[in-house]
Amino acid sequence: MKRKTAGLIMAAVMAVTVLAGCGKVKFEPEASSIYVKKDGTVISADIEAFEGSNYSEDELKTYVEEAVKEYNSEHGANAEAYVDEDDKDTVLPVKINSLTVENGTASLFLEYEKCGDYLEFVGTSGMKGAIGRLELSTVGETSFSGNFQNSKGEDVTMEGVTKKEGNPVVIIDGPVTMQVEGSIQYVSTGVTIVDKHTVTTPAESVSFIVFK
């Protein structure tokens, strides 16, 4: 089921910290963004002004919870929106990590089991200026195109980019601020490196981000 989450949910946690991976990379965004982990898990952070909204905090919470429950039920999982931290065996395609409204700002952190769940749940595929593709692959499994720079912004050859076949690669079509669980090694032309873990990608263009 395609959801119009780009409206209510995107206009919906304080900038909480998410720790993941052996390197304990912190995900503590101050604006809407996504975080892609090495296992393919995706965390989205939607942080927007909530003052003047036609919805109350309780209505927003109910809407998000019901949307998550429905999606999970449709995809063969329990009709739940949260996972008990003590219950490590429960796997949900989508789960709510945090949802708060504070000081006029609504913040929502959702965690997706895989990239495909993010795309399907958010339901923006085909929308102009939105993310239409999000995949996690490896260097050895990726067909690269275009020109590349290293983390210092220097031009590099394709031979250099493809040298380490086991390095993970995020392939994304559309504009977003994205953090990866690791250190960025190479990016395709048009991608802006914010810091060693974070990039912004251009609109209406397929981007490649290689990290380790």
Side-chain angles (χ1 to χ4, degrees):
M1 182 176 110
K2 192 170 184 179
R3 288 163 181 77
K4 297 184 182 298
T5 57
L8 179 57
I9 290 183
M10 294 293 274
V13 159
M14 294 176 293
V16 299
T17 299
V18 177
L19 297 179
C22 297
K24 298 297 183 184
V25 176
K26 292 182 178 181
F27 181 54
E28 44 187 8
E30 297 180 356
S32 297
S33 55
I34 63 173
Y35 176 53
V36 180
K37 297 169 63 176
K38 292 179 180 178
D39 64 358
T41 303
V42 177
I43 299 173
S44 65
D46 298 311
I47 304 170
E48 300 291 343
F50 195 69
E51 290 182 332
S53 171
N54 293 326
Y55 300 90
S56 68
E57 181 177 354
D58 287 341
E59 288 174 326
L60 173 62
K61 185 172 182 287
T62 298
Y63 175 85
V64 175
E65 288 176 346
E66 291 304 315
V68 171
K69 288 178 182 178
E70 183 178 357
Y71 182 91
N72 289 333
S73 177
E74 291 174 350
H75 290 76
N78 294 337
E80 299 174 0
Y82 303 90
V83 171
D84 190 327
E85 291 185 0
D86 296 328
D87 188 358
K88 303 299 183 181
D89 295 328
T90 299
V91 176
L92 297 176
V94 183
K95 66 180 179 180
I96 299 172
N97 281 352
S98 183
L99 171 57
T100 64
V101 176
E102 185 169 289
N103 298 324
T105 298
S107 303
L108 170 65
F109 281 67
L110 294 177
E111 185 168 334
Y112 308 84
E113 186 182 7
K114 54 184 181 292
C115 294
D117 289 312
Y118 169 81
L119 288 174
E120 186 175 351
F121 184 81
V122 174
T124 57
S125 181
M127 293 174 58
K128 186 176 181 179
I131 298 176
R133 178 183 180 186
L134 180 64
E135 300 174 15
L136 180 68
S137 186
T138 64
V139 167
E141 297 172 332
T142 301
S143 297
F144 292 100
S145 60
N147 299 315
F148 285 77
Q149 291 80 42
N150 61 20
S151 59
K152 298 179 181 180
E154 302 166 334
D155 292 340
V156 293
T157 64
M158 189 61 70
E159 182 180 4
V161 173
T162 59
K163 185 175 181 180
K164 296 185 178 181
E165 296 188 350
N167 278 351
V169 182
V170 175
I171 307 164
I172 184 167
D173 184 355
V176 76
T177 297
M178 177 174 63
Q179 183 174 320
V180 296
E181 186 189 14
S183 298
I184 294 167
Q185 302 299 295
Y186 307 103
V187 298
S188 55
T189 299
V191 175
T192 300
I193 297 177
V194 178
D195 58 42
K196 64 180 181 179
H197 306 297
T198 311
V199 299
T200 58
T201 58
E204 300 178 355
S205 175
V206 176
S207 302
F208 301 87
I209 297 92
V210 180
F211 62 103
K212 71 175 183 178

